[in-house]
Amino acid sequence: MYRSKLTTDALAAPSTQGEEPVGPTVGQLASGEGPPSGGRHGASPSVTPIGEEDIEELTEESLFDPAATTRIVVLWILTPSLSVVGSYLLFALVL
């Protein structure tokens, strides 16, 4: 019987025995427990909750980019058109 000499040792993760996990483990998430206190990275950075952005920072330019809209619409039309022309030419050459 032929036995393959391939191993998956290169795919093995390094051992983390003796170290605290950075975040919650799969077992903690499954049981509904929170992450252990402490940890290597300390407290998480402050993040502004969704919906509490400063309204003065939101401008028309940050919400709508005419150049991006034009590029998307042109590619939306151009891509299928080139696909149809290319497939027609390919089938015309093959058949």
Side-chain angles (χ1 to χ4, degrees):
M1 174 197 272
Y2 176 73
R3 184 156 231 215
S4 175
K5 294 184 181 189
L6 293 174
T7 63
T8 58
D9 292 338
L11 301 176
S15 175
T16 57
Q17 290 180 342
E19 296 180 20
E20 282 190 39
V22 176
T25 62
V26 173
Q28 290 170 336
L29 292 174
S31 65
E33 298 176 15
S37 61
R40 284 187 267 172
H41 294 292
S44 62
S46 175
V47 177
T48 306
I50 295 174
E52 294 187 11
E53 293 86 6
D54 189 15
I55 195 70
E56 286 81 26
E57 292 178 5
L58 298 176
T59 62
E60 184 178 329
E61 292 81 27
S62 68
L63 297 174
F64 178 73
D65 183 9
T69 304
T70 303
R71 188 171 52 247
I72 290 169
V73 170
V74 166
L75 289 175
W76 186 16
I77 295 169
L78 188 63
T79 303
S81 301
L82 289 175
S83 176
V84 167
V85 169
S87 61
Y88 176 78
L89 293 174
L90 177 68
F91 283 113
L93 289 172
V94 172
L95 297 176

